[in-house]
Amino acid sequence: FTSYTEKALEAVPPKLFPMPSGVVSVYIDPTSGKLAANSCANKRLETFVSGTQPTEVCGDHGDTAPAAAGDGAVHEETSWWKQLKRWWTD
């Protein structure tokens, strides 16, 4: 199935899906599970339901400033109809 789908869609450019309302992405330190500091070498972007993301910064590398992850904002909800139209027209 994967091979067939990849072949069928090879001419279709990939699209980024909009982030649902109430979801945020932040960089975390995979070792500690805390927010990654700018100095963390192995930071990884993770997505959370807003309010469940870590709030404590790793600090294991001497830096306590959290790494930026995009705008970090909760994105506005878009109707399914607008999303469907955008999928067909973008």
Side-chain angles (χ1 to χ4, degrees):
F1 178 76
T2 303
S3 297
Y4 172 80
T5 304
E6 287 175 349
K7 181 73 174 161
L9 297 176
E10 68 186 358
V12 178
K15 291 187 179 195
L16 294 176
F17 291 97
M19 190 172 296
S21 176
V23 174
V24 294
S25 294
V26 295
Y27 281 103
I28 64 158
D29 174 38
T31 305
S32 68
K34 297 176 183 176
L35 282 176
N38 287 324
S39 58
C40 289
N42 296 319
K43 56 188 155 222
R44 182 172 60 198
L45 189 62
E46 294 287 342
T47 304
F48 297 89
V49 173
S50 184
T52 65
Q53 71 273 19
T55 56
E56 187 178 346
V57 179
C58 170
D60 291 346
H61 311 286
D63 186 7
T64 58
D71 60 7
V74 175
H75 297 274
E76 287 184 28
E77 186 174 345
T78 305
S79 75
W80 68 270
W81 178 246
K82 285 183 181 179
Q83 290 178 13
L84 181 65
K85 286 188 344 187
R86 187 181 69 78
W87 188 80
W88 286 106
T89 59
D90 283 354

